[in-house]
Amino acid sequence: MTSPTEPVLTSYRRAAIIGGGVIGVSWAGLFLARGIDVVISDPRADIEDLVRTGLAEITPALAELGLPTENLTDGLSFEADLATAVAQADVVQENGPERLELKQEIWRTIEDAAPAHALLATSTSGIPASAIATALREPERLVVGHPFNPPHLVPLVEIVPGEKTSAETVERARAFYAALGKKPQVLRKEVPGFVANRLQSALFRECVHLVAEGVVTEAELDEIVTSSIGLRWAVAGPFRTFHLGGGPGGLPHFIEHLGRAMEDSMWPALGNPTFDEATVTTLVEQADDAFGRGTVEELAAERDRAQITLMRALGETPGSGCAHA
Amino acid sequence: MTSPTEPVLTSYRRAAIIGGGVIGVSWAGLFLARGIDVVISDPRADIEDLVRTGLAEITPALAELGLPTENLTDGLSFEADLATAVAQADVVQENGPERLELKQEIWRTIEDAAPAHALLATSTSGIPASAIATALREPERLVVGHPFNPPHLVPLVEIVPGEKTSAETVERARAFYAALGKKPQVLRKEVPGFVANRLQSALFRECVHLVAEGVVTEAELDEIVTSSIGLRWAVAGPFRTFHLGGGPGGLPHFIEHLGRAMEDSMWPALGNPTFDEATVTTLVEQADDAFGRGTVEELAAERDRAQITLMRALGETPGSGCAHA
């Protein structure tokens, strides 16, 4: 089922996915749809049911993205023993718990058991590759491949090299994720939260502040975002937006005029909320008002359909051939 | 040319647009396309040329949004004298310079000269209606109708009542902008920067930090945003996103687990950049690398076409009939 336009993927016949939670299942669905055999390694007794149920849930989205989904699970298998699971893998994507010692233990086992040619990536959202790799003999082989959840749907993969990750590993990871139809971005430094989560967190802090202060409700704030900055940032990032907002003078003009005003009067005025009891009560009550009418699964499916519609309109679905580097 | 589905607009035959800059021209194009006659009042000698050129530039976008643009300027006129310009207006949309004393002077004249039934709105992005209205006899009539630039294209209009703005004025403004095909949101409190610009500013602060620190370039950061949070926030705002990201437990679960971690370790780690010489040099050089190949006008037109494509896909163009409250 491999896309004939993706020769890179001919080197990736077998993937080991370590940890079959939400992220692992999403990666598994994407890998399988791209014709890569997947072995899931997860110690839970009911992992096979969990993964098969999860894959059935995301299959409609994979199909809407233009990916082949017939006989999707033909290449799927399970192997609780980690060393056995990775022994024939061309790529290992690890999605274990976010605990450094546990990840180090997992990766020591993988390093000993996986083939020398295997691409080794961790989905961690918070632990630097440098920290995990102190436990490895060949730290140059490990790289962070952090997806924005869910990986089968959101294009971004942040590739974050550790201090000792080799340039070759980084380039292999970039080419692999691009061939999957993702939009990999290689970061130049390891920083906590990487980039997308830091930005999301910065915006969300002000969201919590504005709701806690009673300026808007959650539902109103969400409407404001989708009808302004969300719509803008789906087609042009913040720097491009401000470059175009500065008139013919572009970003330099923007900085001199609006940027400095932002620094002087807006940034200091931004909120510093805390999740204290009153704030949490407000947030929870408003979430129930705004989102309480459907299950999370139903609402997520609705959101994902809208997002796929948007990606198709922009020619950015993995099946469209436009997302590849 | 009035859309037959918008009976609200039958009460708005004549608009006075005060200030014919970028925002004024954009409002004028939208009003005219909706069948509202527009008189522009601006003291500049070359205002007629400026406005006609500006309208010609945005006409293709109005047409792509599904609005009628034939004979668009038939209802357009110019009147430098402010009192004369507003004397027969059903709605006044003021887009003057962001200086309190000047706005107060403008609004005193408008209040004296405009018909008693006219809807009175200021596009200000930074001056509270309460402050302007201290100069008025009937402060209940003035409201902020702050568009996200450009008003003919971005759906959001923030309606921000001053302390004395009447509920009737707020409701009339909401109904008017909704009938134009916009997505008005009424804020519950006057805060500096209102909501959208505060959120944009919070995110941009971290953008500047990450580029200044060398974690990513401007172009890389923009790619990260468009391929993750931008895409998400175009279809679901931050609260809905985190409600759906919390699993079956929704936002309450998110707050207890990821929200508290965000407060403890992410928010304190966010950057506090300044536009010092080194930072500005980096930002300007990278903007030239990233955006220097086209004129701002060309790049903006390209961005706007992509945004209209996205709005059409989501059924959210003013002409689609889906954007109305």
Side-chain angles (χ1 to χ4, degrees), chain A residues 150 156 188-189 198 201 206 213 215 220 222 226-227 231-232 238-240 259-260 263 266-267 269 274-275 307 310, chain B residues 150 156 188-189 198 201 206 213 215 220 222 227 231-232 238-240 259-260 263 266-267 269 274-275 303 307 310:
Chain A
L156 177 67
R188 292 157 191 266
K189 283 186 185 173
R198 287 179 76 99
S201 163
E206 186 62 15
E213 292 293 311
V215 177
E220 290 163 354
D222 276 2
T226 55
S227 61
L231 211 52
R232 287 312 236 185
F239 285 107
R240 182 176 288 261
R260 293 197 186 279
E263 177 182 350
M266 191 77 95
W267 289 347
T274 60
F275 287 114
Q307 189 184 316
L310 182 159
Chain B
L156 178 66
R188 293 158 190 266
K189 283 185 186 174
R198 287 179 76 98
S201 161
E206 186 63 14
E213 292 293 312
V215 177
E220 290 163 353
D222 276 0
S227 62
L231 211 53
R232 288 311 236 186
F239 285 107
R240 182 176 288 260
R260 291 197 188 281
E263 178 181 349
M266 191 78 94
W267 289 346
T274 60
F275 288 113
R303 184 263 317 262
Q307 189 184 316
L310 182 159

Short mmCIF file of all heavy atoms in Angstrom, two decimals, chain A residues 150 156 188-189 198 201 206 213 215 220 222 226-227 231-232 238-240 259-260 263 266-267 269 274-275 307 310, chain B residues 150 156 188-189 198 201 206 213 215 220 222 227 231-232 238-240 259-260 263 266-267 269 274-275 303 307 310:
data_model
loop_
_atom_site.label_atom_id
_atom_site.label_comp_id
_atom_site.label_asym_id
_atom_site.label_seq_id
_atom_site.Cartn_x
_atom_site.Cartn_y
_atom_site.Cartn_z
N PRO A 150 -3.62 14.74 17.48
CA PRO A 150 -3.16 13.37 17.21
C PRO A 150 -2.26 13.30 15.98
O PRO A 150 -2.53 13.98 14.99
CB PRO A 150 -4.48 12.64 16.94
CG PRO A 150 -5.39 13.68 16.38
CD PRO A 150 -4.96 15.00 16.95
N LEU A 156 2.24 18.78 12.02
CA LEU A 156 3.53 19.07 12.64
C LEU A 156 4.16 17.87 13.35
O LEU A 156 3.49 17.17 14.11
CB LEU A 156 3.36 20.19 13.68
CG LEU A 156 4.63 20.55 14.47
CD1 LEU A 156 5.69 21.17 13.56
CD2 LEU A 156 4.30 21.49 15.63
N ARG A 188 16.48 24.12 16.66
CA ARG A 188 17.90 24.40 16.72
C ARG A 188 18.47 24.29 18.13
O ARG A 188 19.67 24.30 18.33
CB ARG A 188 18.17 25.80 16.16
CG ARG A 188 17.91 25.86 14.66
CD ARG A 188 17.63 27.27 14.16
NE ARG A 188 17.14 27.21 12.80
CZ ARG A 188 17.94 27.32 11.72
NH1 ARG A 188 19.22 27.55 11.86
NH2 ARG A 188 17.42 27.23 10.52
N LYS A 189 17.56 24.27 19.11
CA LYS A 189 17.99 24.12 20.50
C LYS A 189 16.95 23.31 21.27
O LYS A 189 15.77 23.39 20.95
CB LYS A 189 18.11 25.50 21.19
CG LYS A 189 19.34 26.29 20.83
CD LYS A 189 19.41 27.56 21.67
CE LYS A 189 20.60 28.41 21.22
NZ LYS A 189 20.60 29.73 21.90
N ARG A 198 4.96 25.50 23.88
CA ARG A 198 5.26 26.77 24.56
C ARG A 198 4.32 27.87 24.05
O ARG A 198 3.78 28.65 24.84
CB ARG A 198 6.71 27.19 24.30
CG ARG A 198 7.74 26.38 25.03
CD ARG A 198 9.15 26.86 24.69
NE ARG A 198 9.47 28.11 25.37
CZ ARG A 198 10.19 28.18 26.49
NH1 ARG A 198 10.66 27.08 27.04
NH2 ARG A 198 10.44 29.34 27.05
N SER A 201 0.84 27.31 25.28
CA SER A 201 0.79 27.59 26.70
C SER A 201 0.78 29.10 26.98
O SER A 201 0.09 29.58 27.87
CB SER A 201 2.00 26.91 27.34
OG SER A 201 2.25 27.41 28.60
N GLU A 206 -3.18 33.59 28.91
CA GLU A 206 -4.02 34.78 28.78
C GLU A 206 -5.50 34.40 28.66
O GLU A 206 -6.38 35.12 29.14
CB GLU A 206 -3.56 35.64 27.60
CG GLU A 206 -4.27 36.98 27.46
CD GLU A 206 -4.06 37.92 28.66
OE1 GLU A 206 -3.14 37.69 29.48
OE2 GLU A 206 -4.85 38.87 28.79
N GLU A 213 -11.21 36.64 34.86
CA GLU A 213 -11.55 38.04 35.12
C GLU A 213 -12.95 38.40 34.65
O GLU A 213 -13.42 39.54 34.85
CB GLU A 213 -10.54 38.97 34.45
CG GLU A 213 -9.15 38.90 35.04
CD GLU A 213 -9.12 39.46 36.46
OE1 GLU A 213 -9.65 40.56 36.69
OE2 GLU A 213 -8.57 38.76 37.35
N VAL A 215 -14.02 38.75 31.53
CA VAL A 215 -14.07 39.56 30.31
C VAL A 215 -14.90 38.85 29.23
O VAL A 215 -15.65 39.48 28.48
CB VAL A 215 -12.65 39.87 29.79
CG1 VAL A 215 -12.70 40.65 28.49
CG2 VAL A 215 -11.86 40.63 30.86
N GLU A 220 -17.23 32.18 24.36
CA GLU A 220 -17.03 33.44 23.64
C GLU A 220 -15.57 33.59 23.20
O GLU A 220 -15.28 34.01 22.07
CB GLU A 220 -17.43 34.63 24.52
CG GLU A 220 -18.95 34.70 24.74
CD GLU A 220 -19.35 35.57 25.92
OE1 GLU A 220 -18.46 36.04 26.68
OE2 GLU A 220 -20.57 35.77 26.12
N ASP A 222 -13.44 31.20 22.63
CA ASP A 222 -13.20 30.26 21.52
C ASP A 222 -13.72 30.82 20.19
O ASP A 222 -13.06 30.70 19.15
CB ASP A 222 -13.86 28.91 21.81
CG ASP A 222 -12.99 28.00 22.68
OD1 ASP A 222 -11.90 28.44 23.08
OD2 ASP A 222 -13.42 26.87 22.96
N THR A 226 -11.47 31.45 16.81
CA THR A 226 -11.71 30.82 15.51
C THR A 226 -12.06 31.85 14.44
O THR A 226 -11.80 31.62 13.26
CB THR A 226 -12.84 29.75 15.57
OG1 THR A 226 -14.02 30.34 16.11
CG2 THR A 226 -12.43 28.58 16.44
N SER A 227 -12.64 32.98 14.84
CA SER A 227 -13.05 33.96 13.83
C SER A 227 -12.02 35.06 13.61
O SER A 227 -12.30 36.04 12.91
CB SER A 227 -14.41 34.57 14.20
OG SER A 227 -14.33 35.25 15.44
N LEU A 231 -8.08 31.65 12.34
CA LEU A 231 -8.25 31.68 10.89
C LEU A 231 -7.00 32.23 10.19
O LEU A 231 -6.58 31.74 9.15
CB LEU A 231 -9.44 32.61 10.62
CG LEU A 231 -10.33 32.40 9.44
CD1 LEU A 231 -10.85 30.98 9.37
CD2 LEU A 231 -11.52 33.37 9.53
N ARG A 232 -6.41 33.27 10.78
CA ARG A 232 -5.21 33.88 10.21
C ARG A 232 -4.04 32.93 10.29
O ARG A 232 -3.31 32.73 9.32
CB ARG A 232 -4.85 35.17 10.97
CG ARG A 232 -5.75 36.35 10.72
CD ARG A 232 -5.99 36.58 9.29
NE ARG A 232 -5.64 37.91 8.81
CZ ARG A 232 -5.88 38.31 7.57
NH1 ARG A 232 -6.45 37.51 6.70
NH2 ARG A 232 -5.56 39.52 7.18
N PRO A 238 2.55 33.92 12.86
CA PRO A 238 2.56 35.25 13.48
C PRO A 238 3.53 36.23 12.84
O PRO A 238 3.21 37.41 12.70
CB PRO A 238 2.97 34.96 14.93
CG PRO A 238 2.69 33.52 15.15
CD PRO A 238 2.79 32.84 13.83
N PHE A 239 4.72 35.77 12.46
CA PHE A 239 5.67 36.72 11.87
C PHE A 239 5.20 37.20 10.50
O PHE A 239 5.23 38.38 10.19
CB PHE A 239 7.08 36.11 11.79
CG PHE A 239 7.76 36.04 13.12
CD1 PHE A 239 7.91 34.84 13.78
CD2 PHE A 239 8.22 37.20 13.73
CE1 PHE A 239 8.52 34.79 15.03
CE2 PHE A 239 8.83 37.17 14.98
CZ PHE A 239 8.98 35.95 15.62
N ARG A 240 4.74 36.26 9.69
CA ARG A 240 4.22 36.66 8.38
C ARG A 240 3.01 37.59 8.56
O ARG A 240 2.87 38.59 7.84
CB ARG A 240 3.82 35.43 7.57
CG ARG A 240 3.31 35.74 6.16
CD ARG A 240 3.03 34.48 5.36
NE ARG A 240 4.25 33.81 4.97
CZ ARG A 240 4.80 33.93 3.76
NH1 ARG A 240 4.23 34.66 2.82
NH2 ARG A 240 5.92 33.31 3.47
N GLY A 259 5.04 47.05 17.55
CA GLY A 259 5.83 46.14 18.40
C GLY A 259 6.27 46.82 19.69
O GLY A 259 6.12 46.28 20.78
N ARG A 260 6.80 48.03 19.57
CA ARG A 260 7.27 48.72 20.76
C ARG A 260 6.10 49.10 21.68
O ARG A 260 6.22 49.07 22.91
CB ARG A 260 8.08 49.96 20.40
CG ARG A 260 9.40 49.58 19.72
CD ARG A 260 10.42 50.71 19.70
NE ARG A 260 11.58 50.32 18.91
CZ ARG A 260 12.57 49.56 19.37
NH1 ARG A 260 12.55 49.14 20.61
NH2 ARG A 260 13.58 49.23 18.59
N GLU A 263 5.32 46.02 23.56
CA GLU A 263 6.27 45.79 24.65
C GLU A 263 6.01 46.73 25.83
O GLU A 263 6.08 46.32 26.99
CB GLU A 263 7.70 45.99 24.13
CG GLU A 263 8.76 45.84 25.21
CD GLU A 263 10.18 46.07 24.69
OE1 GLU A 263 10.36 46.16 23.46
OE2 GLU A 263 11.09 46.16 25.53
N MET A 266 1.28 46.45 26.32
CA MET A 266 0.46 45.24 26.29
C MET A 266 1.08 44.10 27.08
O MET A 266 0.42 43.47 27.91
CB MET A 266 0.23 44.82 24.84
CG MET A 266 -0.82 43.74 24.70
SD MET A 266 -2.51 44.37 24.85
CE MET A 266 -2.89 44.60 23.11
N TRP A 267 2.34 43.79 26.80
CA TRP A 267 2.97 42.65 27.49
C TRP A 267 2.91 42.81 29.02
O TRP A 267 2.58 41.83 29.71
CB TRP A 267 4.41 42.45 27.00
CG TRP A 267 4.48 41.91 25.59
CD1 TRP A 267 3.45 41.39 24.86
CD2 TRP A 267 5.64 41.85 24.73
NE1 TRP A 267 3.89 41.01 23.61
CE2 TRP A 267 5.23 41.27 23.50
CE3 TRP A 267 6.97 42.21 24.89
CZ2 TRP A 267 6.11 41.05 22.44
CZ3 TRP A 267 7.86 41.99 23.83
CH2 TRP A 267 7.43 41.43 22.62
N ALA A 269 0.73 44.17 30.71
CA ALA A 269 -0.67 44.11 31.15
C ALA A 269 -1.26 42.70 31.06
O ALA A 269 -2.38 42.45 31.51
CB ALA A 269 -1.52 45.08 30.33
N THR A 274 -3.64 31.77 38.15
CA THR A 274 -3.29 30.49 38.76
C THR A 274 -4.55 29.62 38.76
O THR A 274 -5.67 30.14 38.73
CB THR A 274 -2.80 30.65 40.22
OG1 THR A 274 -3.86 31.25 40.97
CG2 THR A 274 -1.57 31.53 40.29
N PHE A 275 -4.35 28.32 38.79
CA PHE A 275 -5.51 27.42 38.85
C PHE A 275 -5.95 27.28 40.31
O PHE A 275 -5.92 26.20 40.88
CB PHE A 275 -5.15 26.06 38.24
CG PHE A 275 -5.04 26.09 36.74
CD1 PHE A 275 -3.82 25.87 36.11
CD2 PHE A 275 -6.16 26.34 35.95
CE1 PHE A 275 -3.72 25.90 34.72
CE2 PHE A 275 -6.06 26.38 34.55
CZ PHE A 275 -4.83 26.16 33.95
N GLN A 307 -11.42 19.94 10.58
CA GLN A 307 -10.00 20.19 10.29
C GLN A 307 -9.56 19.54 8.98
O GLN A 307 -8.77 20.10 8.22
CB GLN A 307 -9.13 19.70 11.43
CG GLN A 307 -7.71 20.17 11.16
CD GLN A 307 -6.76 19.67 12.18
OE1 GLN A 307 -7.05 19.70 13.36
NE2 GLN A 307 -5.63 19.22 11.71
N LEU A 310 -10.67 21.60 6.14
CA LEU A 310 -9.76 22.74 6.00
C LEU A 310 -8.45 22.32 5.33
O LEU A 310 -7.96 22.98 4.42
CB LEU A 310 -9.53 23.29 7.41
CG LEU A 310 -8.67 24.50 7.69
CD1 LEU A 310 -9.07 25.06 9.05
CD2 LEU A 310 -7.23 24.12 7.71
N PRO B 150 -8.05 42.75 8.01
CA PRO B 150 -8.95 43.77 7.47
C PRO B 150 -10.42 43.39 7.68
O PRO B 150 -10.79 42.23 7.55
CB PRO B 150 -8.62 43.74 5.98
CG PRO B 150 -8.14 42.36 5.71
CD PRO B 150 -7.54 41.84 6.98
N LEU B 156 -14.29 38.40 12.76
CA LEU B 156 -14.50 38.94 14.11
C LEU B 156 -14.73 40.45 14.15
O LEU B 156 -14.01 41.21 13.51
CB LEU B 156 -13.27 38.64 14.98
CG LEU B 156 -13.33 39.20 16.41
CD1 LEU B 156 -14.44 38.55 17.22
CD2 LEU B 156 -11.99 39.06 17.12
N ARG B 188 -17.59 41.47 28.00
CA ARG B 188 -18.29 41.76 29.24
C ARG B 188 -17.61 42.83 30.08
O ARG B 188 -18.17 43.32 31.06
CB ARG B 188 -18.44 40.47 30.06
CG ARG B 188 -19.36 39.47 29.37
CD ARG B 188 -19.13 38.04 29.81
NE ARG B 188 -19.87 37.13 28.93
CZ ARG B 188 -21.11 36.68 29.21
NH1 ARG B 188 -21.70 37.03 30.34
NH2 ARG B 188 -21.72 35.89 28.37
N LYS B 189 -16.37 43.14 29.76
CA LYS B 189 -15.62 44.17 30.48
C LYS B 189 -14.70 44.88 29.50
O LYS B 189 -14.21 44.27 28.56
CB LYS B 189 -14.76 43.56 31.60
CG LYS B 189 -15.51 43.15 32.83
CD LYS B 189 -14.53 42.67 33.91
CE LYS B 189 -15.31 42.13 35.11
NZ LYS B 189 -14.41 41.52 36.12
N ARG B 198 -4.98 40.97 22.76
CA ARG B 198 -4.26 40.49 23.95
C ARG B 198 -3.73 39.08 23.71
O ARG B 198 -2.59 38.77 24.04
CB ARG B 198 -5.18 40.48 25.18
CG ARG B 198 -5.50 41.84 25.74
CD ARG B 198 -6.43 41.71 26.95
NE ARG B 198 -5.74 41.26 28.13
CZ ARG B 198 -5.30 42.07 29.10
NH1 ARG B 198 -5.52 43.38 29.02
NH2 ARG B 198 -4.68 41.58 30.15
N SER B 201 -0.94 39.11 21.26
CA SER B 201 0.24 39.70 21.87
C SER B 201 0.92 38.71 22.82
O SER B 201 2.16 38.65 22.89
CB SER B 201 -0.21 40.97 22.58
OG SER B 201 0.70 41.38 23.52
N GLU B 206 6.11 35.17 23.11
CA GLU B 206 6.90 33.93 23.14
C GLU B 206 7.55 33.67 21.77
O GLU B 206 8.66 33.13 21.71
CB GLU B 206 6.02 32.75 23.57
CG GLU B 206 6.77 31.45 23.76
CD GLU B 206 7.83 31.48 24.87
OE1 GLU B 206 7.83 32.43 25.69
OE2 GLU B 206 8.68 30.57 24.90
N GLU B 213 16.25 33.72 20.99
CA GLU B 213 17.10 32.71 21.64
C GLU B 213 17.70 31.72 20.65
O GLU B 213 18.45 30.84 21.04
CB GLU B 213 16.29 31.93 22.68
CG GLU B 213 15.88 32.77 23.90
CD GLU B 213 17.10 33.18 24.72
OE1 GLU B 213 17.93 32.31 25.01
OE2 GLU B 213 17.21 34.38 25.04
N VAL B 215 16.10 29.33 18.96
CA VAL B 215 15.48 28.00 18.96
C VAL B 215 14.94 27.66 17.57
O VAL B 215 15.03 26.52 17.11
CB VAL B 215 14.36 27.92 20.02
CG1 VAL B 215 13.66 26.57 19.98
CG2 VAL B 215 14.92 28.21 21.41
N GLU B 220 10.62 29.19 10.31
CA GLU B 220 10.36 27.88 10.94
C GLU B 220 9.22 27.99 11.95
O GLU B 220 8.34 27.12 12.01
CB GLU B 220 11.63 27.37 11.63
CG GLU B 220 12.71 26.96 10.63
CD GLU B 220 14.10 26.84 11.24
OE1 GLU B 220 14.28 27.20 12.44
OE2 GLU B 220 15.03 26.43 10.52
N ASP B 222 6.78 30.14 11.95
CA ASP B 222 5.51 30.29 11.21
C ASP B 222 5.01 28.94 10.70
O ASP B 222 3.81 28.66 10.75
CB ASP B 222 5.70 31.27 10.05
CG ASP B 222 5.56 32.73 10.48
OD1 ASP B 222 5.33 32.99 11.68
OD2 ASP B 222 5.66 33.62 9.61
N SER B 227 1.09 24.59 10.86
CA SER B 227 0.89 23.14 10.76
C SER B 227 0.46 22.51 12.08
O SER B 227 0.42 21.29 12.19
CB SER B 227 2.16 22.46 10.24
OG SER B 227 3.24 22.66 11.11
N LEU B 231 -3.88 25.60 12.60
CA LEU B 231 -4.85 24.69 11.98
C LEU B 231 -5.92 24.28 12.98
O LEU B 231 -7.11 24.19 12.64
CB LEU B 231 -4.05 23.46 11.55
CG LEU B 231 -4.46 22.65 10.35
CD1 LEU B 231 -4.62 23.53 9.13
CD2 LEU B 231 -3.39 21.59 10.07
N ARG B 232 -5.53 24.01 14.21
CA ARG B 232 -6.47 23.61 15.25
C ARG B 232 -7.40 24.75 15.61
O ARG B 232 -8.62 24.58 15.69
CB ARG B 232 -5.72 23.19 16.53
CG ARG B 232 -4.99 21.87 16.44
CD ARG B 232 -5.85 20.79 15.91
NE ARG B 232 -5.97 19.62 16.76
CZ ARG B 232 -6.60 18.52 16.38
NH1 ARG B 232 -7.15 18.43 15.19
NH2 ARG B 232 -6.69 17.49 17.18
N PRO B 238 -9.08 27.53 21.96
CA PRO B 238 -8.20 26.88 22.95
C PRO B 238 -8.94 26.07 24.01
O PRO B 238 -8.48 25.00 24.40
CB PRO B 238 -7.47 28.06 23.59
CG PRO B 238 -7.62 29.19 22.65
CD PRO B 238 -8.86 28.98 21.87
N PHE B 239 -10.08 26.57 24.49
CA PHE B 239 -10.78 25.81 25.54
C PHE B 239 -11.37 24.53 24.97
O PHE B 239 -11.25 23.46 25.58
CB PHE B 239 -11.86 26.67 26.20
CG PHE B 239 -11.29 27.70 27.13
CD1 PHE B 239 -11.29 29.05 26.79
CD2 PHE B 239 -10.74 27.33 28.35
CE1 PHE B 239 -10.73 30.00 27.64
CE2 PHE B 239 -10.18 28.28 29.21
CZ PHE B 239 -10.18 29.62 28.84
N ARG B 240 -12.00 24.62 23.82
CA ARG B 240 -12.53 23.40 23.20
C ARG B 240 -11.39 22.42 22.91
O ARG B 240 -11.52 21.22 23.12
CB ARG B 240 -13.30 23.75 21.92
CG ARG B 240 -13.94 22.55 21.22
CD ARG B 240 -14.77 22.95 20.01
NE ARG B 240 -16.00 23.60 20.40
CZ ARG B 240 -17.19 23.00 20.45
NH1 ARG B 240 -17.31 21.74 20.12
NH2 ARG B 240 -18.25 23.66 20.84
N GLY B 259 -2.92 21.08 32.96
CA GLY B 259 -3.04 22.49 33.32
C GLY B 259 -2.15 22.86 34.50
O GLY B 259 -1.41 23.85 34.45
N ARG B 260 -2.17 22.04 35.55
CA ARG B 260 -1.32 22.34 36.72
C ARG B 260 0.16 22.21 36.38
O ARG B 260 0.99 22.98 36.88
CB ARG B 260 -1.71 21.45 37.89
CG ARG B 260 -3.09 21.79 38.43
CD ARG B 260 -3.35 21.24 39.82
NE ARG B 260 -4.75 21.45 40.19
CZ ARG B 260 -5.24 22.61 40.62
NH1 ARG B 260 -4.45 23.66 40.75
NH2 ARG B 260 -6.52 22.74 40.91
N GLU B 263 1.04 25.39 34.67
CA GLU B 263 1.21 26.49 35.63
C GLU B 263 2.54 26.37 36.38
O GLU B 263 3.23 27.35 36.60
CB GLU B 263 0.04 26.48 36.63
CG GLU B 263 0.17 27.56 37.70
CD GLU B 263 -0.98 27.53 38.71
OE1 GLU B 263 -1.97 26.81 38.47
OE2 GLU B 263 -0.86 28.22 39.73
N MET B 266 5.61 25.38 32.90
CA MET B 266 5.69 26.01 31.58
C MET B 266 5.55 27.53 31.67
O MET B 266 6.36 28.26 31.10
CB MET B 266 4.63 25.43 30.66
CG MET B 266 4.81 25.82 29.21
SD MET B 266 6.09 24.90 28.38
CE MET B 266 5.11 23.60 27.65
N TRP B 267 4.49 28.00 32.33
CA TRP B 267 4.28 29.45 32.39
C TRP B 267 5.50 30.20 32.96
O TRP B 267 5.91 31.22 32.40
CB TRP B 267 3.00 29.78 33.17
CG TRP B 267 1.75 29.41 32.41
CD1 TRP B 267 1.65 29.09 31.08
CD2 TRP B 267 0.42 29.32 32.94
NE1 TRP B 267 0.34 28.81 30.76
CE2 TRP B 267 -0.44 28.94 31.87
CE3 TRP B 267 -0.14 29.52 34.20
CZ2 TRP B 267 -1.81 28.77 32.03
CZ3 TRP B 267 -1.52 29.35 34.37
CH2 TRP B 267 -2.33 28.98 33.29
N ALA B 269 8.48 29.42 32.70
CA ALA B 269 9.62 29.29 31.79
C ALA B 269 9.46 30.11 30.52
O ALA B 269 10.37 30.20 29.70
CB ALA B 269 9.84 27.82 31.42
N THR B 274 12.68 41.69 24.94
CA THR B 274 12.52 43.12 24.68
C THR B 274 13.00 43.37 23.25
O THR B 274 13.81 42.60 22.72
CB THR B 274 13.36 43.99 25.63
OG1 THR B 274 14.73 43.64 25.45
CG2 THR B 274 12.96 43.77 27.08
N PHE B 275 12.48 44.45 22.66
CA PHE B 275 12.94 44.80 21.31
C PHE B 275 14.25 45.59 21.41
O PHE B 275 14.31 46.76 21.03
CB PHE B 275 11.86 45.59 20.57
CG PHE B 275 10.67 44.74 20.15
CD1 PHE B 275 9.42 44.94 20.73
CD2 PHE B 275 10.82 43.75 19.20
CE1 PHE B 275 8.33 44.16 20.34
CE2 PHE B 275 9.74 42.96 18.81
CZ PHE B 275 8.49 43.17 19.38
N ARG B 303 -1.99 35.47 0.91
CA ARG B 303 -2.50 35.02 2.21
C ARG B 303 -4.03 35.14 2.25
O ARG B 303 -4.73 34.24 2.70
CB ARG B 303 -1.87 35.89 3.32
CG ARG B 303 -2.22 35.49 4.74
CD ARG B 303 -3.36 36.32 5.33
NE ARG B 303 -3.31 37.74 5.05
CZ ARG B 303 -2.83 38.65 5.89
NH1 ARG B 303 -2.34 38.28 7.04
NH2 ARG B 303 -2.87 39.94 5.57
N GLN B 307 -6.91 32.38 2.82
CA GLN B 307 -7.89 32.48 3.90
C GLN B 307 -9.32 32.37 3.39
O GLN B 307 -10.18 31.76 4.03
CB GLN B 307 -7.72 33.78 4.67
CG GLN B 307 -8.60 33.73 5.89
CD GLN B 307 -8.57 34.99 6.67
OE1 GLN B 307 -7.50 35.55 6.88
NE2 GLN B 307 -9.73 35.44 7.08
N LEU B 310 -10.10 28.83 2.75
CA LEU B 310 -10.38 28.17 4.03
C LEU B 310 -11.79 28.51 4.52
O LEU B 310 -12.55 27.64 4.95
CB LEU B 310 -9.31 28.63 5.01
CG LEU B 310 -9.22 28.14 6.42
CD1 LEU B 310 -7.81 28.38 6.92
CD2 LEU B 310 -10.20 28.90 7.30
#
